[in-house]
Amino acid sequence: MSTAAELDSNIRDVPDFPKPGILFKDITPILGDPKLFKTSIQLLAETAGDTQIDKVVGIDARGFIFAAGVAHLIGAGFVPVRKKGKLPWTTHQMAYSLEYGEDIVEIHSDAVKPGEKILLVDDLLATGGTAAAATKLLKALDADIVGISFLIELEALNGRKNLEHPHVHSILKY
Amino acid sequence: MSTAAELDSNIRDVPDFPKPGILFKDITPILGDPKLFKTSIQLLAETAGDTQIDKVVGIDARGFIFAAGVAHLIGAGFVPVRKKGKLPWTTHQMAYSLEYGEDIVEIHSDAVKPGEKILLVDDLLATGGTAAAATKLLKALDADIVGISFLIELEALNGRKNLEHPHVHSILKY
């Protein structure tokens, strides 16, 4: 298996995306390489430790890629958290702040049963707004959130403190 | 392993979504069940037959879930096709028609090398507009498209004819 260092060396820094001054961490070179993709899934799955996870929750849209891989690897179900209006059935909603204004994420109200063990997975921990909203949705459904795991954490943005959870993991820190 | 019939019986029909008169096929009950999720990935992977696939291409956003699972299962890379403006690096673009107006999908210009064997995966074949645009993008990159595979096909909408490919597969037909 390849290592976290190999993942790091295959991330592509794209300047000024999505806007001037932002150095974007492009993960598509990792996704496109079978070994690196498998490693990223494996390392994210290992963040759950020995706990048997019932469902892996992924956040729209890049989070779906990693969360689906982890769910498949560990034999768990997959649950999507999506932007407002994308889920067809009855939902719980949670607003979160953006730089300007706010946005809303949703989860199906029957997506998680009380007490189910959940691993929340996303590609990137920046300010943590979306992941914090997803965490609140899961708590509203009485889920047991075992951990919140990211491929990449941008430490300077301090998103970890917004999550208010003892088990926040990231594979690559910048 | 569970079967296609069990997948069928776990799809939730949601009337009038996303608009009045549409009966939406909600796949989230399949995703949330570990066995059914694994079966859906397995059946989609089998559509490639004996051909060794280099990369599984998924379409934003529900397509990511299945395509990532298939890529993980068969040990291939994963490539995202996304709505305009979401991919950070140099892209190829393709427009496709909507009921009113048009939309654009993109792929990274280096996502696929000439001759690489590709399985294109999405959740739903309706009119086929997005998948046809994704197919054109892959052909522009000189990819070898082995097959185009969907969990669900809405046969009355005739999307299959828009794809102009000899190997279009669907697990569930309605």
Side-chain angles (χ1 to χ4, degrees):
Chain A
M1 199 174 89
S2 40
T3 63
E6 285 171 83
L7 297 182
D8 168 56
S9 66
N10 281 278
I11 284 180
R12 175 162 55 191
D13 287 340
V14 181
D16 300 321
F17 185 88
K19 57 186 184 180
I22 304 284
L23 185 67
F24 189 84
K25 296 286 181 188
D26 178 17
I27 55 167
T28 59
I30 290 176
L31 300 176
D33 181 297
K35 280 186 195 158
L36 297 176
F37 181 49
K38 198 159 273 242
T39 296
S40 67
I41 299 298
Q42 178 77 37
L43 293 175
L44 284 165
E46 287 173 3
T47 63
D50 294 334
T51 307
Q52 178 66 44
I53 299 296
D54 295 307
K55 283 167 180 164
V56 181
V57 176
I59 299 177
D60 199 343
R62 281 189 303 266
F64 287 1
I65 302 166
F66 295 104
V70 172
H72 183 265
L73 174 62
I74 68 179
F78 170 90
V79 171
V81 166
R82 301 208 64 180
K83 304 287 164 59
K84 187 182 176 183
K86 298 285 188 180
L87 289 170
W89 202 65
T90 310
T91 64
H92 279 46
Q93 302 190 341
M94 189 64 61
Y96 63 99
S97 298
L98 299 173
E99 195 176 359
Y100 304 100
E102 65 171 35
D103 212 340
I104 289 174
V105 286
E106 297 185 318
I107 194 169
H108 271 158
S109 301
D110 68 344
V112 172
K113 296 186 194 76
E116 280 191 320
K117 293 195 183 302
I118 302 297
L119 183 67
L120 178 59
V121 170
D122 204 1
D123 64 322
L124 178 72
L125 175 56
T127 62
T130 324
T135 303
K136 288 176 190 159
L137 286 174
L138 290 166
K139 286 181 179 168
L141 295 178
D142 291 323
D144 178 1
I145 305 173
V146 172
I148 309 176
S149 301
F150 303 88
L151 184 68
I152 295 172
E153 177 177 4
L154 304 179
E155 291 185 296
L157 296 179
N158 249 323
R160 187 175 278 260
K161 78 170 181 343
N162 287 335
L163 300 181
E164 297 177 356
H165 193 281
H167 299 293
V168 176
H169 305 273
S170 55
I171 309 304
L172 301 171
K173 298 178 206 300
Y174 298 100
Chain B
M1 198 174 89
S2 41
T3 63
E6 286 171 82
L7 296 183
D8 168 55
S9 65
N10 281 279
I11 284 179
R12 176 162 54 191
D13 287 340
V14 181
D16 300 323
F17 184 89
K19 56 187 185 181
I22 304 285
L23 185 66
F24 189 84
K25 296 287 182 188
D26 177 17
I27 55 166
T28 60
I30 290 176
L31 300 176
D33 181 297
K35 279 187 195 158
L36 297 176
F37 181 49
K38 198 159 273 244
T39 297
S40 67
I41 299 297
Q42 179 77 39
L43 293 175
L44 284 165
E46 287 172 3
T47 63
D50 294 333
T51 306
Q52 179 66 44
I53 299 295
D54 295 307
K55 285 170 179 161
V56 181
V57 176
I59 299 176
D60 198 344
R62 280 190 305 268
F64 287 0
I65 303 166
F66 295 104
V70 172
H72 183 265
L73 174 61
I74 67 178
F78 170 89
V79 171
V81 166
R82 301 208 66 178
K83 304 287 164 57
K84 187 181 176 182
K86 299 284 188 180
L87 288 171
W89 202 66
T90 310
T91 64
H92 278 49
Q93 302 191 340
M94 190 64 61
Y96 63 100
S97 298
L98 299 173
E99 194 176 358
Y100 304 100
E102 66 171 34
D103 212 339
I104 289 174
V105 286
E106 297 185 319
I107 193 168
H108 271 159
S109 300
D110 67 345
V112 172
K113 296 186 193 77
E116 281 191 318
K117 294 193 183 302
I118 301 296
L119 183 66
L120 177 61
V121 170
D122 204 0
D123 64 321
L124 178 72
L125 175 56
T127 62
T130 323
T135 303
K136 287 175 192 160
L137 286 174
L138 290 166
K139 286 181 180 168
L141 295 178
D142 291 322
D144 178 1
I145 305 173
V146 172
I148 309 175
S149 300
F150 303 88
L151 184 68
I152 295 171
E153 177 176 4
L154 305 178
E155 291 185 297
L157 296 179
N158 249 324
R160 188 176 278 261
K161 76 169 181 346
N162 286 336
L163 299 180
E164 298 178 355
H165 193 279
H167 299 293
V168 177
H169 305 274
S170 56
I171 309 303
L172 302 170
K173 299 178 205 297
Y174 299 98

